[in-house]
C-alpha cells in the first residue's frame, strides 16, 4: 500500500487530527508569485480570439457522440488559454473574505479568471511544446497568464521527446502540438503546506475541465494524458522533479499537421532558463515531497481500459425513496460568457428567493457530465453526487443522493441541513444555510488507488476539480451564485450521509443559490 493511502486518510481526518506542521503560519511578505517568472525570455502576444454564440455550455458538457474532429490553431489556442487561466478582470465586489480590505490596492489586486482555483493561487503552469506545423518556430513556450503571451523557453523541435514520454497507447490525435501542465508546489504550499497536494491536484482538474467545455462546445477535443514518463518531461522543462510535478499532457489536433518527420531529438536537450523564485525562503513539506514521489513513481503505468471499473461510483440505491426532478433548464449561454460571468459567491447567498427545480436539475446534470476527464482516465464514472437541500422550490429540505440515470433525487435523510452544514464548515466566509443547496461529490479514493496505484490520487482530485468547475460554469449559465470549499470536516459528512461502509470520500462542498440583490461591485474588465 503506497503513501497516497496514508495521505488520503490524513486529509479526511484533518478536521479532527491536524496535519503537520500544525502551527504553520505563512510568511505573506515573502510569498511566491502567482506565476512562473522567466526574466529575459522573449515573448509574443497571443491573438484576439472570437467565440461563437452557439458554442453553448450544453454543447460543451455533452459527452455523447463522435469524438470532436475540429482542429486547433493559434487563435483557438489563445482563446482557450485566455478564457481559462488568462486574466479577464479585477475582482472588486464586496464579499465576506478576509482579503476584502486589500482588494483596492493595485499591487494586491485580485484578478478574475475563467477557472476557479483553491485559494485563488492558480498553480497550474501551462507549457506549449510546438513542432513544425505551428505558426512560430518550433520550441517550448510558457504561457504567461499576466500578459497573455507565450514566452519562448527553448527553440527547436522537441515534440519527439513529448511523444516518447507519452509512450504507446497515449490518448488524443497524432500531432506535433502539446500542452504540458505542471504544478510548482511552492506557489500553493507557502499557504497550504502539507494540504497543498490535495488542493493543487483539484486545480489541475478545474483547468482541464474548463478547456474541455470550452473546446467541446466548438467541436474541438481536449483529451488529457495523466500517465506518461514524468521524469523525462521534467527534464525537458528543466524543472526540479521534487519541486514541480508534471500532471498532464494534452495533445492538440492541429490545423496543417501532416505527420511528424519522425526524427528524434537529442535526449539531453532541455530548457535552460530557470524560473526566478520571488520568495527568499522556500520551505519543503514532508507530506508534499512524499506525495510527489509516490504519485510520480509509476507514472508510465497507464491503466488498462477498464482498470478503474472496480472503483466506479456506486449506483443510486433503488430502494431509496425517489424524488423526481423536471427537465433541466437549458444551458444556452456560450461557454466564454458563462466563464466570464462566473465567480465565487463568498458570503453573498440569500435564501429569500429559492432555487428552482429546473435550475437544480441543470446544476446536478452538469456536475455529473463534467466528472469525466477523458483521455487516458477511462470511461468509468468515479464521482457520485449528494445534495443537501435547504431552499429549493418544491423539494423538501433534507439530504439526497443524485441518481444520474433517472436524473432524480433519492432521499437520504429528512430535515433542514443548515445547522449541520454550518457547524462543520471551518471558515467564516459563507453562511451555508442561505445557499439553496450544497452539492457534495464523493469518490471512492481507496478503491481508485487500489485499482491504479498512487498516481490515481491525482485522478481522484482532478475529477473533483472538474466537477467543481462544471458546476461553477453551469450555475453562471442558469443565473445562480456558486461557491466551493475544502474547509469542512469530511468525517462528519461521511457520518451524516451514512457512507461508513461504502468507501466514498466526500471531497468538496459546492454551494449554489441566489444572492442578495444589487451587491456592491465595481466593473473592471480587462478582456
Ligand atoms: C479546488 C478548490 C477549492 C476551493 N476551496 C475553497 C474554500 O475552501 N473556501 C472558499 O471560500 N473558496 C474555495 N475555493 C474557491 C476559490 O477561492 C476561488 O475559486 C478563487 O479565489 C477565485 O475566485 P473566483 O472563483 O471568484 O474566480 C476553492 C476553489 C477550488 C477550485
Amino acid at each position: 500500500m503506497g503513501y497516497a493511502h496514508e495521505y488520503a486518510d490524513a486529509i479526511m481526518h484533518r478536521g479532527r487530527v491536524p496535519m503537520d506542521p500544525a502551527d504553520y503560519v505563512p510568511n505573506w511578505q515573502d510569498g511566491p508569485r502567482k506565476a512562473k517568472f522567466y526574466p529575459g525570455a522573449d515573448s509574443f502576444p497571443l491573438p484576439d480570439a472570437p467565440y461563437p454564440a452557439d458554442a453553448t455550455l450544453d454543447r460543451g458538457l455533452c459527452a455523447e457522440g463522435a469524438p470532436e474532429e475540429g482542429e486547433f490553431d493559434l487563435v483557438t489556442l489563445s482563446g482557450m488559454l485566455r478564457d481559462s487561466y488568462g486574466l479577464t478582470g479585477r475582482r472588486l465586489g464586496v464579499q465576506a473574505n478576509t482579503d476584502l480590505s486589500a482588494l483596492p490596492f493595485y499591487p494586491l489586486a485580485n484578478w478574475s479568471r475563467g477557472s476557479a482555483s483553491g485559494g485563488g493561487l492558480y498553480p497550474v503552469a501551462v507549457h506549449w511544446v510546438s513542432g513544425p506545423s505551428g505558426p512560430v518556430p518550433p520550441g517550448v513556450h510558457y504561457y504567461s497568464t499576466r500578459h497573455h503571451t507565450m514566452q519562448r523557453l527553448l527553440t527547436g523541435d522537441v515534440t519527439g521527446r513529448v511523444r516518447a514520454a507519452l509512450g504507446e497507447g497515449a490518448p488524443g490525435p497524432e500531432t506535433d502540438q502539446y500542452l504540458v501542465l505542471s504544478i510548482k508546489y511552492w506557489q500553493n504550499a507557502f499557504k497550504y503546506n502539507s494540504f497543498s497536494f490535495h488542493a493543487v491536484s483539484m486545480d489541475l482538474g478545474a483547468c482541464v475541465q474548463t478547456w474541455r467545455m470550452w473546446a467541446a462546445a466548438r467541436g474541438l477535443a481536449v483529451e488529457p494524458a495523466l500517465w506518461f514518463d514524468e521524469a523525462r518531461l521534467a527534464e525537458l522543462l528543466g524543472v526540479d522533479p521534487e519541486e514541480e510535478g508534471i500532471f498532464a499532457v494534452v495533445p492538440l489536433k492541429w490545423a496543417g499537421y501532416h505527420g511528424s518527420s519522425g526524427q528524434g531529438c537529442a535526449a539531453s536537450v532541455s530548457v535552460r532558463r530557470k524560473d526566478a523564485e520571488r520568495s527568499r525562503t522556500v520551505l519543503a513539506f514532508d507530506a508534499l515531497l512524499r506525495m510527489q514521489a509516490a504519485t510520480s513513481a509509476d507514472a508510465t503505468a497507464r491503466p488498462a481500459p477498464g482498470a478503474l471499473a472496480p472503483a466506479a461510483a456506486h449506483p443510486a440505491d433503488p430502494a431509496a425513496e425517489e424524488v423526481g426532478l423536471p427537465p433541466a433548464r437549458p444551458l444556452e449561454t456560450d461557454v466564454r460568457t458563462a466563464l466570464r460571468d462566473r465567480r465565487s459567491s463568498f458570503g453573498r447567498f440569500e435564501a429569500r428567493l429559492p432555487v428552482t427545480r429546473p435550475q437544480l436539475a441543470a446544476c446536478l446534470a452538469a456536475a455529473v457530465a463534467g466528472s469525466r476527464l477523458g483521455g487516458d482516465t477511462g470511461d468509468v464514472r468515479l464521482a457520485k453526487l449528494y445534495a443537501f437541500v435547504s431552499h429549493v422550490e418544491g423539494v423538501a429540505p433534507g439530504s439526497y443522493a443524485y441518481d444520474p440515470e433517472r436524473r432524480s433525487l433519492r432521499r437520504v435523510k429528512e430535515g433542514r441541513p443548515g445547522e449541520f452544514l454550518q457547524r462543520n464548515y471551518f471558515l467564516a466566509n459563507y453562511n451555508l444555510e442561505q445557499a439553496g443547496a450544497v452539492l457534495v461529490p464523493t469518490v471512492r479514493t481507496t478503491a481508485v488507488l487500489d485499482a491504479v496505484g498512487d498516481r490515481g490520487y491525482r485522478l481522484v482530485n482532478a475529477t473533483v476539480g472538474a466537477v467543481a468547475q462544471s458546476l461553477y460554469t453551469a450555475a453562471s449559465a442558469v443565473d445562480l451564485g456558486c461557491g466551493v470549499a475544502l474547509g469542512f470536516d469530511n468525517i462528519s459528512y461521511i457520518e451524516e450521509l451514512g457512507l461508513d461502509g461504502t468507501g466514498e470520500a466526500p471531497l468538496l462542498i459546492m454551494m449554489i443559490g441566489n444572492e442578495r440583490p444589487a451587491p456592491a461591485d465595481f466593473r473592471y474588465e480587462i478582456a
Side-chain angles (χ1 to χ4, degrees), residues 54-104:
D54 65 354
T56 63
L57 184 56
D58 264 333
R59 287 185 62 191
L61 283 167
C62 178
E64 321 304 330
E68 307 292 355
E69 288 299 332
E71 295 175 322
F72 277 92
D73 57 17
L74 190 64
V75 172
T76 41
L77 176 60
S78 167
M80 187 172 83
L81 295 176
R82 169 69 92 183
D83 290 338
S84 51
Y85 252 49
L87 310 188
T88 56
R90 191 167 164 193
R91 297 272 189 239
L92 286 162
V94 174
Q95 31 82 348
N97 279 349
T98 47
D99 66 355
L100 183 65
S101 58
L103 297 188

Side-chain angles (χ1 to χ4, degrees), residues 91 116-118 120 122 202 342 344 346 429-430 472 484-487:
R91 297 272 189 239
S117 163
Y122 293 95
M202 290 190 186
R342 183 206 67 76
S344 296
F346 293 138
N429 63 346
Y430 280 103
Y472 262 120
V484 309
L486 284 163

Side-chain angles (χ1 to χ4, degrees), residues 14 91 97 99 110-122 191-192 195 198-203 206 339 342-348 425 427 429-430 461 464-465 468-469 472 482-488 507-509 511:
R14 75 190 187 288
R91 297 272 189 239
N97 279 349
D99 66 355
N110 201 352
W111 301 101
S112 58
R113 317 198 198 193
S115 296
S117 163
L121 296 172
Y122 293 95
K191 181 173 177 189
Y192 292 119
F195 184 67
H198 191 61
V200 298
S201 42
M202 290 190 186
D203 284 338
L339 290 168
R342 183 206 67 76
R343 62 156 169 67
S344 296
S345 281
F346 293 138
R348 285 172 278 203
Y425 185 55
L427 305 181
N429 63 346
Y430 280 103
N461 281 19
V464 173
Q469 182 65 22
Y472 262 120
C482 183
V484 309
L486 284 163
F488 65 99
L507 289 169
L508 196 68
I509 55 175
M511 297 69 84

